[in-house]
């Protein structure tokens, strides 16, 4: 089989993390940027209910995308581990069965959401015309979930092979298609939300095709699995995918609560939250990409029993997160004025943008700690840890904090409470990750920097 072998068993780990995260983030950023441009176009139409409809729909689409992210995590972890162990035929079989199972189950999941899209949108707090617009938008996009899932799982397979560039290009091609079709359909053909939804469907189809092509061209393709292989693959896939999906679903459920809490402050507040929700992944695309990028690095070294490199990779992931968050936060602070002007924001919408581009952006570091820790858990055979951390973060770490923030500061307090709720669970996640590594390397951390980071997380917990 051609293509790179276990590429992460040697070389500088911080460099591997940087290259994987930066290349993966370019693809993610291109997709997120198109969503951000969608919001700009919708805002230019001058109808608050359209922007609010996108905000409500976005919470549900986040929910559906989380299923694909969970399947991608499982596929990437299993393929990377097989490559690290030197079993390339097993890696090919795992890639094939993960795609087949993912598409089959994803189609059923999409159908269930499609049939219940109106009550789900109403549950978010949408009412009247805004509810009708949200439902219309979602019913066009949701059937394309299986193709998005092909793109997500295919991209994870490419990253497991160390082929971050081609994984990135798949999302870039999809983003380009979306960017070209958006103005044509929204403005040229006067299709408003319908045009934005159709453009997104076309982009998902392109992402799926562009992710499959390099797998066949450069990495030996996919096999034709037997029934026995499909049955045999189900248990190990579900062992990671099940907790990973549950882990990913926690975030949109937490976001759904935040959306509903924001709805109590009016459509202008929901529109402001929708702008922040689109801006956040663009600004922090590198951090969003980090979990998928560092996973194969940890997975390959864990499969090869290079536990010293697993420890160093985890620590370097935290260091990388801190550097990126500080740099991006400074950039956002400098761009506050232009962003407010871009959306012609005033009132509570303006306040929410100012808040996000101020000190609140620095709080994203704690989300990054959770992302890196979840990647470590998934690739070291403890996906349930990810599930517990994410659900804790999005329930105990969200609901009471959002309630307190909203009662104290109103709409801005909703975002403040959501951000501060992550601190405790980030500390718990870091402590669990180092403890898990210690179990496989009883002598303890040889790296003084890793030891210091672990001690700091323990000190935070004791406080």
């Amino acid at each position: 089989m051609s293509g790179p072998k276990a590429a992460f068993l040697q070389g500088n780990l911080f460099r591997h993390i940087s290259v994987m995260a930066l290349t993966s983030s370019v693809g993610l950023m291109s997709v997120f940027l198109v969503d951000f441009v969608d919001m700009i176009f919708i805002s230019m139409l001058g109808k608050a209910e359209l922007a609010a409809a996108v905000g409500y729909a976005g919470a549900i689409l986040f929910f559906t995308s989380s299923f694909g992210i969970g399947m991608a995590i499982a596929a990437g972890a299993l393929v990377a581990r097989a490559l690290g162990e030197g079993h390339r035929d097993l890696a090919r079989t795992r890639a094939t069965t993960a795609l087949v199972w993912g598409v089959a189950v994803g189609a059923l999941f999409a159908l269930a959401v499609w049939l219940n899209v109106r009550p789900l949108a109403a549950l978010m707090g949408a009412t009247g015309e805004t509810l009708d617009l949200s439902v219309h938008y979602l019913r066009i996009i949701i059937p394309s979930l299986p193709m998005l899932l092909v793109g997500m799982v295919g991209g994870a397979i490419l990253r497991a092979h160390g082929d971050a560039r081609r994984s990135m290009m798949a999302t870039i091609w999809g983003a380009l298609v979306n960017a070209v079709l958006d103005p044509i359909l929204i403005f040229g053909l006067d299709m408003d939300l319908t045009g934005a939804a159709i453009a997104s469907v076309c982009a998902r189809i392109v992402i799926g095709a562009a992710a499959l092509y390099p797998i066949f061209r450069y990495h030996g393709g996919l096999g034709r699995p037997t029934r026995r292989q499909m049955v045999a693959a189900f248990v190990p896939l579900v062992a990671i995918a099940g907790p990973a999906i549950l882990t990913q679903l926690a975030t949109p459920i937490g976001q759904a609560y935040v959306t509903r809490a924001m709805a109590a402050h009016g459509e202008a507040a929901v529109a402001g939250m929708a702008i922040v929700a689109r801006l956040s992944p663009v600004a922090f695309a590198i951090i969003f990409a980090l979990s998928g990028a560092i996973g194969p690095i940890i997975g390959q070294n864990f499969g090869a029993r290079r536990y010293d490199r697993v420890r160093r990779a985890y620590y370097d992931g935290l260091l990388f997160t801190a550097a990126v968050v500080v740099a991006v936060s400074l950039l956002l602070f400098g761009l506050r004025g232009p962003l407010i002007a871009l959306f012609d924001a005033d009132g509570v919408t303006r306040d929410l943008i100012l808040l996000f581009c101020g000190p609140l952006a620095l709080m994203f570091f704690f989300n990054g700690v959770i992302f890196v820790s979840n990647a470590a858990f998934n690739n070291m055979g403890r996906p349930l840890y990810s599930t517990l951390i994410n659900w804790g973060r999005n329930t105990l770490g969200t609901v009471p904090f959002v309630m307190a923030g909203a009662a104290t500061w109103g709409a801005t307090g909703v975002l403040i409470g959501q951000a501060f709720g992550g601190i405790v669970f980030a500390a718990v996640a870091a402590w669990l990750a180092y403890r898990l590594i210690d179990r496989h390397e009883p002598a303890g951390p040889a790296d003084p920097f890793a030891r210091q980071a672990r001690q700091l997380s323990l000190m935070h917990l004791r406080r």
Side-chain angles (χ1 to χ4, degrees):
M1 184 184 294
S2 61
K5 296 186 178 180
F8 305 123
L9 300 183
Q10 57 186 353
N12 184 278
L13 287 165
F14 190 87
R15 181 180 181 278
H16 283 320
I17 292 168
S18 301
V19 170
M20 288 289 286
L22 290 171
T23 52
S24 297
S25 69
V26 172
L28 273 180
M29 188 180 294
S30 63
V31 174
F32 293 145
L33 187 59
V34 170
D35 288 340
F36 185 58
V37 172
D38 277 349
M39 181 57 69
I40 295 174
F41 288 155
I42 296 301
S43 297
M44 289 172 63
L45 293 173
K47 298 179 181 179
E49 61 271 18
L50 291 176
V54 173
Y56 291 120
I60 296 174
L61 289 176
F62 192 10
F63 176 74
T64 61
S65 297
S66 295
F67 180 88
I69 294 171
M71 291 299 299
I73 287 171
L78 290 171
V79 172
R81 196 178 303 170
L83 290 171
E85 294 168 353
H87 303 310
R88 296 185 61 78
D89 289 338
L90 177 60
R92 181 170 178 262
T93 299
R94 285 178 172 177
T96 304
T97 52
L99 270 170
V100 174
W101 276 119
V103 171
V105 180
L108 294 175
F109 181 72
L111 178 62
V113 174
W114 191 87
L115 291 174
N116 293 281
V117 67
R118 180 170 287 275
L120 287 172
L123 188 62
M124 299 297 102
T127 58
E129 183 182 2
T130 303
L131 174 60
D132 293 335
L133 290 169
S134 299
V135 170
H136 174 69
Y137 182 73
L138 288 166
R139 281 184 171 161
I140 296 173
I141 294 181
I142 288 173
S144 65
L145 177 63
M147 281 307 300
L148 178 64
L149 197 143
V150 169
M152 288 180 168
V153 175
I157 293 168
L158 291 172
R159 288 192 298 273
H161 281 276
D163 197 350
R165 184 181 67 83
R166 293 189 178 96
S167 176
M168 170 192 74
M169 289 306 301
T171 51
I172 287 178
W173 282 117
L176 287 174
V177 168
N178 204 336
V180 170
L181 291 179
D182 261 341
I184 294 174
L185 297 177
I186 294 174
F187 295 110
L189 298 180
D190 197 27
M191 297 178 70
D192 294 348
L193 279 183
T194 301
I198 292 173
S200 296
V201 170
C202 293
R204 289 181 171 197
I205 294 171
V206 170
I207 291 172
L212 285 179
Y213 174 76
I215 293 176
F216 283 94
R217 178 69 177 82
Y218 301 102
H219 300 290
L222 302 171
R224 181 176 293 178
T226 64
R227 180 179 301 178
R228 183 176 180 180
Q229 287 176 325
M230 290 297 299
V231 172
F234 185 77
V235 172
L237 184 66
V238 170
I240 298 178
I245 290 170
L246 288 175
T247 300
Q248 296 302 315
L249 289 179
T251 303
I253 287 175
Q255 186 61 39
Y257 175 79
V258 172
T259 301
R260 186 170 181 84
M262 194 67 80
H265 301 280
E267 290 191 348
V270 176
M273 186 202 66
I275 292 171
V276 170
R278 293 298 193 278
L279 178 59
S280 177
V282 173
F284 292 106
I286 298 174
I287 304 302
F288 278 93
L290 186 57
S291 181
I294 199 174
I297 298 172
I298 292 176
Q300 285 191 9
N301 284 283
F302 185 78
R305 299 185 180 182
R306 296 290 305 277
Y307 303 125
D308 58 325
R309 288 178 64 82
V310 171
R311 180 183 301 282
R312 185 70 206 192
Y314 178 78
Y315 174 74
D316 283 353
L318 299 183
L319 188 65
F320 183 82
T321 298
V324 169
V325 168
V326 170
V328 171
S329 297
L330 291 173
L331 180 62
L332 286 171
F333 186 79
L335 293 175
R336 292 181 304 166
L339 285 169
I340 290 171
L342 180 63
F343 290 99
D344 193 22
D346 57 14
V348 67
T349 303
R350 177 180 180 275
D351 293 341
L352 292 174
I353 295 175
L354 281 174
L355 177 64
F356 174 73
C357 294
L360 209 63
L362 289 169
M363 300 295 291
F364 209 85
F365 169 75
F366 299 104
N367 288 335
V369 172
I370 292 175
F371 292 165
V372 175
S373 300
N374 285 346
F377 300 148
N378 291 330
N379 283 275
M380 290 193 290
R382 292 292 186 274
L384 186 59
Y385 286 6
S386 300
T387 306
L388 295 175
I389 290 294
N390 259 30
W391 277 97
R393 166 67 178 96
N394 287 282
T395 53
L396 297 176
T398 296
V399 176
F401 290 91
V402 168
M403 290 178 65
T408 306
W409 297 293
T412 55
V414 173
L415 292 187
I416 293 172
Q418 183 186 28
F420 273 83
I423 297 176
V424 173
F425 284 92
V428 173
W431 176 73
L432 282 174
Y434 278 118
R435 185 178 180 184
L436 182 57
I437 296 171
D438 284 346
R439 290 179 183 175
H440 294 280
E441 193 180 29
D447 185 346
F449 297 105
R451 186 185 298 113
Q452 184 180 18
R454 181 166 169 265
Q455 289 171 348
L456 288 173
S457 67
L458 286 171
M459 289 173 59
H460 185 88
L461 281 174
R462 288 167 183 161
R463 290 176 186 172

